[in-house]
């Protein structure tokens, strides 16, 4: 036997083998040979081996080798920090970083900070991230472009766009990667205008672009429905040669689809020789958001036939989120398909289905899906909370939000906006104020959507001064913000303030919308400003470069404007001259005016139209019955009530909410179940005595006509708002303001009652009914007895 000596291999030999290795067994054999050849302590060889192991996902073996290496240098530390982070062991990355700082004399470099900050970003721990940002600044790497990209990305992941912008603005020459991070991160956080601004600044600075830049900024233009901006970006991409890149074409498909130009979107899609799944998804989503559901389903089926794999984005695009009505069966089918393909566990799919079920008023199905979701994202919580709020189930929305707090799930601006909407509906001022404090702590106050929701909440909870304070502090306002302030003033009968805000909008050239005019016309109608309302209506049609076509709600506001001022014939003439068929809102405004001005003849005409257009609305029958009763036409009133009975129409029971020491109490008409019932009724009796001495006479006109006067008086005495006011007087300090929220329109008797109570008790009483706010003080109401 001849023994041959095996030549030892050098570092370059093993570095080449490691580079070309693709499997764990191959790398394990290579590691064994490295040891046999005495290179197990060679820093370059071991570092390359650890790097390769982490790249193929063998992080356990990489860690084991690293832990036995005697004197790792900074490069090896960086490799293992990055390896842990890339393999979703982010806490281990932080641990290694701490070891580096505490147990060695090595100084972290830009790579160290970039890798460890990236790990912290994925841990969703803002305090840790801020601390590492501080370390980077102290280490002299705070303005490095590479580190800056990681810091910006981290703050954007935390939803802190303000901090991300501060870091971005401090970096003297941001490169393409950093700019792309800022654009795409801003889009993900809903800061679409900011992302387009970053793109514009890239042009001014002469920063290099790539396909990712165009794809990201086109997403912002698409979400903003800014077709002109998107077309400018498209022209620029053609000039630089990026137009035919598949990701840019896909971005353009989304742009044209979301701007309702499906023909162009289809042409762009057909220009892609081999559309990938992202392009298919964009086209399916485009069809869905343009109500072309059949085309969306056909393209989806084509994908299946061509054996293109579908993913969660495909399903989300197919779900009719924006136009769900009439598509419950399709939604259920998609739900079943998602279960079969194990896509239901994807949070985006579950969230979209929860949203659609909620919008279809299938709230139980939405909650069942929410409860069954194993990993609930913040978007899923938001969808469920918003679903409850949109369906008027405000108590469940608030309960779920409180449950979210118990689980220590940090809210985002969408959460805050949804829960503020619930507070506004419920009139829960104390809870709304607490949510405001929470928004301030989370630095969400500057978010225009949160601030707009705060304005709406304060206005609908009776605190119009606080609403204005939020409005004045807000640096950036969108049209919705201005509309919310105008609407708030209208609710509180402060028409001149509403007009001032409107005029300021015109002066500042803030885009006016249909809602703007509805809000300001509403304010004019409730204050009897007929001339101002007429001028505004004419401006809406003729001025501001609008060429604005009035909607049914604008016509209804004008009928209400004329009707409230007693010009019933003018209101009828306006209706007859409308270019569109008047709907329930228009005839309802006329019927309400007929009640106020006791015009039975016109009331009969309006009610006939209403019974034809909206036969199941019991409110119109009740209103007509009251009109006949006021006219002492008891036979007709009884006939109307009999129709209600025969058709099994149910009138919404009256209830009133009052908060005492942040605890809500709800009273219903004639309620006697409250623990302080005897004291409440005794207080009412005491008040009535004092009020009668002051000249108060109960209005019993709308009570049933076939009972004795004393019984009629008793019936109106126990309306829910009277019970709530009595309870409030018993449980609040002398001289303090009382606020109540009623779900129905306040009746004449209760309105007079509250005026007298405000005078004899020297209290300010604020009442929100189904239509507006009434501020009672010293025997007078802000509505001028005109509501």
């Amino acid at each position: 036997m001849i023994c041959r000596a095996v030549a030892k291999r050098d570092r370059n030999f093993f570095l080449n083998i490691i580079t070309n290795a693709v499997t764990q067994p191959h790398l394990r054999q290579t590691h064994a040979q490295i040891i046999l050849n005495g290179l197990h302590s060679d820093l370059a060889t071991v570092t390359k081996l650890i790097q390769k192991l982490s790249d193929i996902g063998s992080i356990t073996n990489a860690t084991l080798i690293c832990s036995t290496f005697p004197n790792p240098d900074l490069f090896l530390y960086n490799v293992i920090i990055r390896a842990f982070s890339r393999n979703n062991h982010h806490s281990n990355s932080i641990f290694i970083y701490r070891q580096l700082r505490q147990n060695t004399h090595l100084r972290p470099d830009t790579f160290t900070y970039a890798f460890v900050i990236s790990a912290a970003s994925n841990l969703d721990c803002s305090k840790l991230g801020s601390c590492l940002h501080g370390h980077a600044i102290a280490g002299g790497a705070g303005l490095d472009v590479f580190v800056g990209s990681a810091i910006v990305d981290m703050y954007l992941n935390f939803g802190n766009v303000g901090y991300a912008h501060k870091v971005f603005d401090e970096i003297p020459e941001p490169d393409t990667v950093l700019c792309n991070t800022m654009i795409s991160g801003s889009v993900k956080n809903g800061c679409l205008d900011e992302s387009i601004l970053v793109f514009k600044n890239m042009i001014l600075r002469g920063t290099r672009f790539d396909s990712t830049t165009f794809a990201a900024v086109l997403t912002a233009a698409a979400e903003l429905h800014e077709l002109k901006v998107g077309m400018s970006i498209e022209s620029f991409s053609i000039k630089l040669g990026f137009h035919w890149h598949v990701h840019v074409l896909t971005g353009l498909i989304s742009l044209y689809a979301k701007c309702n130009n499906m023909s162009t979107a289809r042409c762009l899609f057909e220009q892609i020789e081999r559309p990938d799944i992202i392009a298919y998804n964009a086209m399916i989503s485009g069809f869905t958001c343009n109500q072309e559901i059949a085309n969306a389903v056909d393209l989806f089926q084509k994908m299946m036939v061509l054996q293109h794999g579908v993913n969660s984005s495909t399903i989300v695009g197919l779900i009719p989120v924006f136009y769900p009505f009439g598509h419950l069966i399709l939604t259920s089918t998609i739900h079943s398909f998602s279960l079969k393909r194990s896509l239901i566990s994807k949070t985006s799919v579950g969230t979209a289905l929860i949203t659609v079920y909620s919008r279809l008023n299938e709230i139980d199905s939405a909650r069942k899906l929410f409860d069954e979701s194993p990993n609930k994202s913040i978007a899923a919580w938001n969808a469920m909370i918003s679903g409850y709020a949109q369906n008027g189930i405000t108590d469940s929305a608030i309960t779920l939000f409180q449950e979210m707090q118990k689980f220590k799930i940090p809210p985002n601006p969408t959460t805050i906006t949804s829960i503020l909407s619930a507070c506004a509906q419920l009139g829960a001022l104390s809870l709304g104020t607490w949510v405001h404090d929470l928004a301030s702590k989370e630095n969400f106050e500057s978010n225009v959507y949160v601030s707009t929701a705060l304005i709406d909440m304060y206005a609908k909870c009776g605190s119009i001064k606080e609403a204005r304070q939020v409005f004045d502090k807000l640096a950036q306002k969108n049209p919705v913000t201005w509309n919310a302030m105008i609407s708030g003033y209208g609710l509180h009968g402060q028409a001149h303030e509403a007009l001032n805000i409107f005029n300021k909008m015109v002066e500042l050239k803030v885009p006016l919308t249909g809602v703007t005019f509805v809000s300001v016309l509403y304010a004019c109608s409730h204050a009897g400003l007929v001339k101002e309302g007429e001028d505004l209506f004419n401006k809406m049609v003729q001025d501001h470069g609008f060429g604005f076509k009035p909607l049914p709600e604008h016509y209804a506001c004008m009928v209400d404007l004329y009707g409230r001022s007693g010009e019933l014939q003018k209101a009828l003439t306006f209706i007859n001259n409308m270019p569109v068929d008047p709907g329930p809102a228009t005839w309802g405004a006329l019927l309400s005016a007929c009640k106020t001005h006791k015009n039975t003849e016109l009331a009969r005409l309006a009610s006939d139209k209403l019974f034809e257009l909206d036969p199941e609305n019991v409110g119109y029958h009740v209103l007509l019955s009251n009109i006949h009763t006021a006219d002492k036409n008891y036979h007709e009133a009884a006939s109307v009530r009999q129709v209600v009975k025969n058709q099994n129409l149910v009138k919404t029971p009256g209830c009133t909410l009052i908060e005492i020491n942040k605890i809500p109490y709800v009273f219903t008409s004639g309620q006697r179940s409250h623990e302080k019932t005897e004291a409440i009724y005794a207080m009412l009796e005491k008040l009535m005595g004092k009020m009668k001495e002051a000249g108060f006479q109960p209005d019993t006109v709308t009570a049933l006509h076939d009972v004795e006067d004393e019984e009629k008086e008793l019936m109106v005495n126990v309306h829910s708002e009277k019970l709530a006011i009595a309870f409030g007087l018993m449980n609040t300090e002398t001289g303090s303001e009382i606020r109540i929220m009623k779900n129905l329109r306040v009746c004449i008797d209760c309105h007079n009652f509250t005026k007298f109570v405000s005078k004899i008790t020297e209290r300010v009483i604020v009442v929100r009914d189904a239509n507006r706010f009434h501020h009672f003080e010293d025997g007078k109401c802000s509505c001028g007895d005109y509501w």
Side-chain angles (χ1 to χ4, degrees):
M1 177 181 286
I2 298 173
C3 294
R4 292 189 178 93
V6 179
K8 283 198 172 186
R9 306 295 188 181
D10 62 8
R11 174 194 294 169
N12 290 334
F13 174 82
F14 286 109
L15 290 177
N16 185 54
I17 288 179
I18 292 168
T19 300
N20 295 313
V22 292
T23 65
Q24 282 191 45
H26 193 178
L27 286 170
R28 281 199 297 268
Q29 291 174 13
T30 303
H31 186 205
Q33 290 299 318
I34 288 170
I35 294 171
L36 288 173
N37 282 271
L39 291 171
H40 56 282
S41 296
D42 182 74
L43 186 61
T45 305
V46 172
T47 300
K48 185 70 174 178
L49 178 63
I50 291 171
Q51 194 172 28
K52 189 68 175 184
L53 283 166
S54 69
D55 287 345
I56 65 171
S58 182
I59 190 65
T60 304
N61 288 329
T63 306
L64 185 62
I65 295 169
C66 184
S67 64
T68 59
F69 195 81
N71 296 303
D73 65 355
L74 182 60
F75 186 79
L76 181 53
Y77 268 107
N78 288 347
V79 165
I80 199 65
I81 289 171
R82 179 171 177 265
F84 275 127
S85 182
R86 291 185 66 181
N87 285 273
N88 295 319
H89 295 276
H90 308 295
S91 297
N92 288 343
S93 290
I94 306 300
F95 176 75
I96 297 297
Y97 172 75
R98 284 174 177 158
Q99 279 194 326
L100 166 65
R101 289 178 60 89
Q102 295 171 5
N103 301 334
T104 76
H105 297 292
L106 300 172
R107 294 184 62 185
D109 62 8
T110 55
F111 293 100
T112 317
Y113 291 121
F115 296 153
V116 75
I117 287 169
S118 177
S121 174
N122 288 290
L123 285 172
D124 198 22
C125 179
S126 58
K127 288 184 178 179
L128 175 62
S130 298
C131 180
L132 291 171
H133 182 191
H135 286 187
I137 293 171
L143 298 179
D144 180 82
V145 174
F146 185 48
V147 177
S149 292
I151 295 170
V152 166
D153 185 60
M154 175 188 72
Y155 283 125
L156 290 169
N157 283 344
F158 294 157
N160 200 328
V161 183
Y163 280 1
H165 266 288
K166 284 181 181 179
V167 175
F168 179 80
D169 292 340
E170 287 174 0
I171 295 174
E173 294 184 9
D175 64 2
T176 306
V177 174
L178 177 54
C179 289
N180 290 351
T181 300
M182 195 70 233
I183 292 171
S184 58
S186 296
V187 171
K188 287 178 184 175
N189 282 278
C191 300
L192 307 173
D193 292 316
E194 288 88 337
S195 63
I196 291 176
L197 182 61
V198 172
F199 178 77
K200 289 178 179 177
N201 288 335
M202 286 180 73
I203 298 173
L204 295 174
R205 279 195 304 267
T207 309
R208 188 177 64 84
F209 297 87
D210 60 17
S211 59
T212 302
T213 316
F214 286 104
V217 76
L218 281 169
T219 301
E223 291 297 325
L224 286 168
H225 299 261
E226 288 282 1
L227 183 57
K228 289 183 179 179
V229 173
M231 291 175 72
S232 298
I233 296 168
E234 181 182 17
S235 299
F236 195 51
S237 71
I238 293 171
K239 182 179 178 180
L240 295 182
F242 290 106
H243 181 263
W244 301 112
H245 194 285
V246 65
H247 294 318
V248 178
L249 280 172
T250 301
L252 289 168
I253 290 168
S254 294
L255 169 73
Y256 283 105
K258 291 188 177 180
C259 292
N260 305 319
N261 189 342
M262 282 307 298
S263 58
T264 303
R266 194 192 292 266
C267 288
L268 289 166
F269 181 75
E270 290 170 354
Q271 288 174 22
I272 303 175
E273 185 177 349
R274 293 181 180 177
D276 60 8
I277 190 170
I278 301 172
Y280 269 105
N281 291 351
M283 202 65 201
I284 289 170
S285 177
F287 280 132
T288 302
C289 70
N290 282 279
Q291 301 188 64
E292 297 182 30
I293 305 299
N295 287 335
V297 173
D298 287 345
L299 190 58
F300 175 79
Q301 290 173 335
K302 183 180 178 181
M303 282 185 71
M304 300 297 291
V305 170
L306 294 174
Q307 296 186 338
H308 282 285
V310 300
N311 59 17
S312 57
S313 296
T314 318
I315 301 301
V316 171
L318 187 62
I319 295 170
V321 175
F322 300 104
Y323 302 99
F325 304 106
H327 297 299
L328 178 58
I329 294 175
L330 174 62
T331 301
S332 301
T333 304
I334 296 171
H335 188 174
S336 300
F337 180 87
S338 302
L339 284 167
K340 185 178 179 180
R341 291 298 183 97
S342 299
L343 290 168
I344 198 70
S345 60
K346 301 292 184 181
T347 55
S348 58
V349 175
T351 300
L353 286 169
I354 290 168
T355 301
V356 172
Y357 280 132
S358 296
R359 290 178 180 175
L360 289 168
N361 202 22
E362 297 288 332
I363 202 72
D364 291 338
S365 297
R367 183 58 191 258
K368 185 174 185 293
L369 182 56
F370 175 81
D371 289 338
E372 290 174 352
S373 301
N375 300 309
K376 299 178 181 66
S377 66
I378 184 66
W381 285 90
N382 290 345
M384 197 66 245
I385 290 170
S386 177
Y388 278 132
Q390 289 167 5
N391 283 278
I393 312 173
T394 50
D395 53 342
S396 295
I398 291 167
T399 300
L400 191 61
F401 177 69
Q402 291 169 337
E403 185 178 333
M404 191 177 161
Q405 295 291 295
K406 288 179 184 177
F407 285 120
K408 296 184 178 179
I409 299 170
N412 66 10
T414 304
T415 323
I416 299 297
T417 302
S418 297
I419 203 65
L420 284 170
S421 174
C423 293
Q425 291 179 48
L426 193 60
L429 178 61
S430 59
L431 181 61
T433 304
W434 176 77
V435 175
H436 187 179
D437 291 339
L438 180 62
S440 299
K441 289 176 184 176
E442 297 287 345
N443 294 313
F444 293 152
E445 245 185 324
S446 60
N447 182 289
V448 67
Y449 301 105
V450 172
S451 292
T452 301
L454 281 168
I455 292 166
D456 184 62
M457 182 275 294
Y458 278 122
K460 289 180 178 175
C461 289
S463 298
I464 193 66
K465 289 181 181 178
E466 285 80 357
R468 183 59 188 263
Q469 286 173 2
V470 175
F471 179 83
D472 289 339
K473 286 180 182 177
L474 190 57
Q476 293 184 332
K477 305 177 182 75
N478 63 16
V480 181
T481 313
W482 290 85
N483 293 346
M485 198 66 246
I486 293 172
S487 176
Y489 277 127
L491 279 172
H492 289 266
Q494 299 183 28
H496 292 290
E497 291 290 348
L499 285 167
N500 288 338
I501 296 290
F502 174 82
N503 291 331
K504 192 70 175 176
M505 282 185 77
V506 175
E507 180 187 331
L508 295 175
K509 296 182 180 180
V510 179
L512 305 176
T513 67
V515 175
T516 311
F517 284 102
V518 167
S519 300
V520 74
L521 285 171
Y522 174 92
C524 289
S525 70
H526 279 268
L529 303 181
V530 178
K531 185 181 183 304
E532 291 84 347
E534 286 180 327
D535 290 343
L536 281 166
F537 185 81
N538 292 330
K539 283 182 180 179
M540 177 180 69
V541 179
Q542 300 166 6
D543 296 347
H544 306 299
F546 250 58
F548 195 90
K549 187 177 180 180
L551 299 172
E553 47 266 38
H554 300 116
Y555 291 116
C557 280
M558 289 303 295
V559 172
D560 189 58
L561 180 75
Y562 291 131
R564 286 176 182 274
S565 64
E567 299 184 50
L568 298 183
Q569 285 302 323
K570 195 170 184 178
L572 182 61
T573 301
F574 183 87
I575 291 173
N576 291 332
N577 291 332
M578 283 169 53
V580 297
D581 292 333
T586 304
W587 288 112
L590 182 62
L591 181 61
S592 181
C594 289
K595 177 181 182 296
T596 301
H597 299 287
K598 299 179 173 60
N599 189 317
T600 309
E601 184 180 348
L602 268 184
R604 192 175 287 109
L605 170 65
S607 60
D608 286 344
K609 295 289 186 180
L610 286 165
F611 298 157
E612 180 184 333
L613 292 168
D614 193 4
E616 294 185 3
N617 192 320
V618 69
Y620 301 136
H621 291 81
V622 172
L623 195 53
L624 181 61
S625 173
N626 288 342
I627 290 170
H628 285 309
T629 301
D631 199 37
K632 297 186 178 180
N633 192 340
Y634 301 127
H635 175 73
E636 289 291 336
S639 297
V640 174
R641 290 199 301 275
Q642 188 60 45
V643 169
V644 171
K645 186 176 181 181
N646 292 342
Q647 294 182 4
N648 293 319
L649 300 177
V650 180
K651 181 178 180 291
T652 303
C655 65
T656 301
L657 177 142
I658 184 171
E659 280 192 359
I660 306 292
N661 297 324
K662 299 184 179 181
I663 300 173
Y665 296 89
V666 178
F667 291 89
T668 55
S669 294
Q671 179 178 332
R672 290 187 174 273
S673 58
H674 196 278
E675 60 181 10
K676 295 186 178 179
T677 293
E678 289 186 11
I680 292 170
Y681 278 86
M683 172 61 79
L684 273 179
E685 189 175 343
K686 181 180 177 182
L687 286 171
M688 289 301 295
K690 290 184 178 180
M691 288 163 58
K692 285 181 179 179
E693 290 176 6
F696 173 73
Q697 290 293 327
D699 186 310
T700 60
V701 170
T702 56
L704 299 178
H705 72 276
D706 52 353
V707 294
E708 296 297 326
D709 284 344
E710 287 184 4
E711 290 183 68
K712 290 181 186 179
E713 190 172 322
L714 178 61
M715 290 169 67
V716 294
N717 273 346
V718 291
H719 280 187
S720 60
E721 54 263 59
K722 292 181 180 178
L723 298 174
I725 289 171
F727 184 71
L729 289 169
M730 292 163 49
N731 292 279
T732 55
E733 294 181 5
T734 302
S736 63
E737 184 177 278
I738 293 175
R739 299 186 185 197
I740 63 172
M741 310 290 166
K742 182 176 171 62
N743 67 329
L744 302 178
R745 182 175 179 270
V746 64
C747 73
I748 294 172
D749 179 71
C750 287
H751 193 268
N752 290 335
F753 169 87
T754 311
K755 284 200 299 182
F756 271 86
V757 170
S758 71
K759 186 173 182 64
I760 66 174
T761 62
E762 297 181 347
R763 296 281 197 113
V764 173
I765 303 174
V766 180
V767 179
R768 188 185 90 178
D769 70 3
N771 293 334
R772 60 174 299 165
F773 274 92
H774 301 261
H775 294 255
F776 297 91
E777 185 174 7
D778 195 28
K780 297 177 183 177
C781 180
S782 60
C783 74
D785 297 340
Y786 199 86
W787 77 102

